[in-house]
Amino acid sequence: MAVRAVRGAVQLDRDEAGHMDERVSELLTAVLERNQLAADDLISVWFTATPDLHSDFPAAAARGLGIVDVPLICAQELDITGAMPRVVRVLAHVETYLSRSEISHVYLGATGALRKDIAQ
């Protein structure tokens, strides 16, 4: 078993706590499913949000999914002119039998344009 990093992102339509919870839950569920992972496989998860998102902590969605004993942290993305707005990014450290090339990085909707090199 190896420690791997899985990336992902999702763009929100609006800055509302319920909407953030829904979209981040969708992202986390896709990350777990596409990589054949369970909550027990998670080591830690970093969340970042663009500066225009302030209605809730993205990590709250993970707690709502039952991910309660994994270290989570939220941070703010750099405020770069012209950057895609209302984006939550995730970097999950996991234990898996998948090789680095088998990891599925999950960029939902328009965020696929952020990392065309690894978005699936």
Side-chain angles (χ1 to χ4, degrees):
M1 185 161 306
V3 173
R4 303 280 184 222
V6 184
R7 289 286 316 269
V10 65
Q11 185 177 38
L12 280 62
D13 298 324
R14 58 194 175 280
D15 183 25
E16 294 174 2
H19 182 61
M20 180 180 290
D21 182 71
E22 176 183 306
R23 296 304 313 259
V24 174
S25 293
E26 177 185 5
L27 174 62
L28 291 173
T29 299
V31 165
L32 294 172
E33 288 177 356
R34 292 184 194 179
N35 290 287
Q36 305 154 25
L37 298 168
D40 269 359
D41 299 320
L42 295 169
I43 297 169
S44 64
V45 184
W46 274 86
F47 296 90
T48 64
T50 51
D52 51 2
L53 294 175
H54 43 75
S55 62
D56 202 359
F57 294 100
R63 299 294 184 217
L65 289 174
I67 300 170
V68 296
D69 61 350
V70 175
L72 308 174
I73 193 163
C74 297
Q76 188 176 77
E77 276 292 328
L78 296 173
D79 191 7
I80 304 298
T81 303
M84 186 178 289
R86 300 176 315 281
V87 174
V88 173
R89 292 172 174 85
V90 64
L91 172 63
H93 300 98
V94 303
E95 292 180 313
T96 180
Y97 288 105
L98 296 177
S99 68
R100 189 174 289 157
S101 65
E102 293 174 307
I103 294 294
S104 235
H105 303 283
V106 180
Y107 288 80
L108 299 178
T111 63
L114 295 173
R115 290 296 308 264
K116 291 179 183 177
D117 57 328
I118 63 172
Q120 305 193 1

